Amino acid sequence: MSSQLSGKPASIGVGGCRLTAHLRIGATLFALAAAVSACMPQSARLAAADPSDPAVRVKGVEYRSTIAPYSSLRPAAPTSWRERNENVTPKTKQESQ
């Protein structure tokens, strides 16, 4: 694979030094990131009780319906479309007086 990477730039007139420099920079950045990540703490301290501890008391689970105020509106009495349209149209100033 590395021979293919250096062979292609050489075939189109670009020197292989540029590719090697990019690989060195990438490897250096990767090594730097790995070294910095090794300095990080293993885990953060918990502010409250540890949730994985079975002796910790927790609030009980309760059921709340997501559709509790729902009430069925069917079957609805059939009405004419003209009457239904007049019920929902905004009133004009003359009609409201």
Side-chain angles (χ1 to χ4, degrees), residues 27-86:
T28 304
L29 289 175
F30 179 76
L32 183 62
V36 169
S37 67
C39 298
M40 299 298 292
Q42 289 292 331
S43 62
R45 301 225 181 241
L46 298 173
D50 186 9
S52 64
D53 184 9
V56 173
R57 297 181 57 94
V58 294
K59 184 179 176 184
V61 179
E62 58 186 42
Y63 173 77
R64 289 185 307 201
S65 175
T66 56
I67 57 170
Y70 173 77
S71 62
S72 177
L73 300 177
R74 299 199 185 264
T79 57
S80 71
W81 66 268
R82 191 177 304 263
E83 182 182 332
R84 295 184 93 167
N85 193 22
E86 288 174 0

Side-chain angles (χ1 to χ4, degrees), residues 5-19:
L5 291 175
S6 62
K8 186 174 181 179
S11 66
I12 58 174
V14 177
C17 295
R18 184 179 293 167
L19 182 63

